[in-house]
Every structure is written in C-alpha cells, then in structure tokens.
Amino acid sequence: MTKSANIIATIEKHMLAMTEVEARIAQYFIDQALIADDLSSQHVAEELHVSQATLTRFSKKCGFQGYRAFVFEYLNSRESVEQSFQQVQSPLTKRVLLDYEDITRQSHQLIDEDQLQRIAQLIEDADRVYFFGQGSSGLVAREMKLRLMRLGVICEALTEQDSFTWTISILEPNCLVIGFSLSGQTATVMNSLKAAQDKGAKTVLFSSRAAYYHDEFTEAVPLAAVRQLDYGKRISPQFPMLFLLDILYAFFLEINREKKEAIFNDYTFPPKN
C-alpha cells in the first residue's frame, strides 16, 4: 500500500468496515501516543483483552500484510509527524493539521486531469449549468456559480428539493447538472442528479463514493475524505471539493482564455460613465 504520512487517517478510513472488536483496537491506536515498547503484539493483546490473531485481522483491514507491517508504518508515521510539527504543542492542532495533510495527499493521488478537462469542456459547451448541493455542499454550489458567472457562464446554484424538482422539469439535452455530495448518500441530491440524467442532460457527480456511480452519470469525480469529514467534525467538508474545483476552474479558464478574461474584467471592473 502507499505509505501515509498520517497513519491515524488510514485507520479512520477503514473503520466502517471493521467489527466491533477491531474498531476498539483502532480507537486504541487513534487515542494513544504509543512508543515502540508499547507495540508488541503480546502487550497490545493483553492490554485490550484480544488475541494476537485479532490484531493481525485488524492490520489487514487497514491495508497491511500483518501486524508487524502495521507497527512499522505506525512508528514511521509518528516520527514523520513529530518532525513536521515540531512547533505545534496542542494535540488538537496536530490532529487538524494531519487531516489537512491527508486530504491533500489523497487529492493528489485522485486527480484525473483528463477527466477534469472533459468536465471543463462540458461546461464550455452547455447552454445552461446547474449546481445541486445541500448543507456544506450547497455552499460549494454557490461558490462555483459565483466564479463561473463571472466568466460568462449562464448558471444557477440550487440547494433545496423544490428547486431541484423545478429545475429538472425545464432541463434540455444541452444542459449540464453538477451535483455535490461528499458522502454520496444525500438522497435529494443523488435522486435529482439521476432524474436529470434520465431527462437527457449531461450530469457530473463530485463525491467520495464516485466509484459506485461511474456508470450512472456522464462523469463521477472522486473526492478525498477522512472519517466523518461530511459531518465537519474537525475540518470543513468543503475542502476536498474546493481543492479539485480550483483545478477544474483553471482548466475551464484556459478554454478561450482571452474572451473569458475580458468578461471577468467587465464584470469586476465595469466601465465608468
């Protein structure tokens, strides 16, 4: 597996697939600042009242070949963290910085430039573009509307079920609908995006569960995530979306750049009478 600078994020990412006992082991490694002497399989098994075989299964759930490989990465991660954040004292600050570090690393791995260029061209070719999102995703939808309308795109951001329904009723094949759902489980957004696809419009989904929907929409863009990011527990759930959308914006701006910059300047700096 790819080595992570944040072993905590790696553990958290796999917790939903763990049994109750494995999740208890995971929480132990998340909560404790452990050193090498604490990490023998015998010591941890006795401390948590589990078998050494259970530690092996836990390690494999996290993507490692076994417990020894997990410990090796755990210790490397702690050393890397301590070197990176020498000036940071609070564990709360470290946890937030680690989350940002892991989201950034994951985003680098997930970037598909060809796909983002295709989506930029879909925006360029569309007569109208609609952004669907609720909660934090709705804020991202509004942000993209504001940025693209300054470049001359006819677009709208919708954040409520009624507005989704009304918009779907007027869609045409030359429209583009872009949906944002970090969890991929926001029923109103997902159902509305599927309805837009059925109506013949081009559709794009931004989600951490994009792989589950790659056959259902025109494009499905994977987003980085750490456990419970969609709840905004430690860092803003908007961050992984805005990370990729900034790249998408850059690709879109390059299509007929001079015309777009002229529109942007007229919008931002209108001529004085």
Side-chain angles (χ1 to χ4, degrees):
M1 66 176 292
T2 301
K3 286 189 176 181
S4 169
N6 182 1
I7 190 68
I8 301 302
T10 299
I11 296 170
E12 289 184 329
K13 185 170 63 175
H14 293 89
M15 280 186 71
L16 291 179
M18 293 181 185
T19 65
E20 183 177 345
V21 173
E22 291 165 349
R24 182 158 55 86
I25 297 170
Q27 203 62 52
Y28 176 75
F29 284 103
I30 290 170
D31 292 341
Q32 304 294 323
L34 302 169
I35 61 175
D37 291 345
D38 300 326
L39 292 171
S40 73
S41 59
Q42 181 177 350
H43 174 82
V44 175
E46 291 176 355
E47 185 76 13
L48 297 178
H49 305 289
V50 298
S51 68
Q52 294 184 40
T54 302
L55 293 178
T56 299
R57 288 194 294 271
F58 157 77
S59 302
K60 290 182 176 180
K61 282 281 180 73
C62 292
F64 297 91
Q65 291 183 342
Y67 182 69
R68 182 175 297 180
F70 169 80
V71 168
F72 179 80
E73 185 65 18
Y74 182 88
L75 291 173
N76 279 350
S77 176
R78 280 190 51 77
E79 182 179 354
S80 174
V81 168
E82 289 169 1
Q83 291 175 352
S84 299
F85 304 136
Q86 288 180 351
Q87 304 304 315
V88 177
Q89 299 300 319
S90 171
L92 298 176
T93 303
K94 288 181 180 179
R95 182 62 60 82
V96 171
L97 291 175
L98 284 169
D99 280 346
Y100 272 108
E101 182 180 279
D102 196 59
I103 288 292
T104 301
R105 179 188 59 79
Q106 287 186 49
S107 296
H108 287 168
Q109 295 173 351
L110 291 171
I111 290 171
D112 183 339
E113 293 181 312
D114 291 338
Q115 182 182 52
L116 294 176
Q117 287 179 325
R118 291 195 302 270
I119 297 170
Q121 192 63 53
L122 287 175
I123 297 172
E124 176 73 11
D125 296 340
D127 288 347
R128 302 190 305 276
V129 181
Y130 297 98
F131 300 103
F132 288 3
Q134 290 192 298
S136 295
S137 298
L139 297 176
V140 174
R142 292 191 179 102
E143 166 74 7
M144 284 305 294
K145 172 203 169 179
L146 182 62
R147 297 183 71 180
L148 291 182
M149 67 182 291
R150 290 174 174 173
L151 299 181
V153 177
I154 300 173
C155 56
E156 187 56 79
L158 296 314
T159 60
E160 302 293 340
Q161 174 64 67
D162 289 345
S163 59
F164 298 160
T165 302
W166 178 83
T167 299
I168 291 168
S169 71
I170 62 169
L171 286 178
E172 298 174 349
N174 54 356
C175 292
L176 172 65
V177 180
I178 299 178
F180 302 102
S181 174
L182 184 64
S183 67
Q185 297 176 324
T186 308
T188 51
V189 173
M190 299 305 299
N191 291 339
S192 297
L193 200 60
K194 291 175 183 177
Q197 179 79 11
D198 292 341
K199 194 76 181 292
K202 301 290 191 303
T203 55
V204 177
L205 170 67
F206 284 82
S207 174
S208 63
R209 293 171 58 86
Y212 293 91
Y213 300 102
H214 69 279
D215 291 331
E216 297 192 32
F217 305 115
T218 308
E219 298 283 352
V221 183
L223 298 174
V226 295
R227 183 170 175 261
Q228 295 188 332
L229 177 64
D230 47 328
Y231 296 115
K233 188 175 180 181
R234 287 199 296 262
I235 65 175
S236 169
Q238 300 166 44
F239 178 69
M241 296 186 192
L242 295 175
F243 190 101
L244 287 187
L245 289 173
D246 280 343
I247 301 173
L248 173 61
Y249 181 87
F251 281 130
F252 177 70
L253 182 59
E254 282 303 307
I255 302 173
N256 203 352
R257 186 184 183 96
E258 290 185 2
K259 177 182 177 181
K260 289 185 173 70
E261 288 185 338
I263 294 172
F264 180 87
N265 290 332
D266 286 344
Y267 181 92
T268 308
F269 309 107
K272 296 181 180 179
N273 294 328

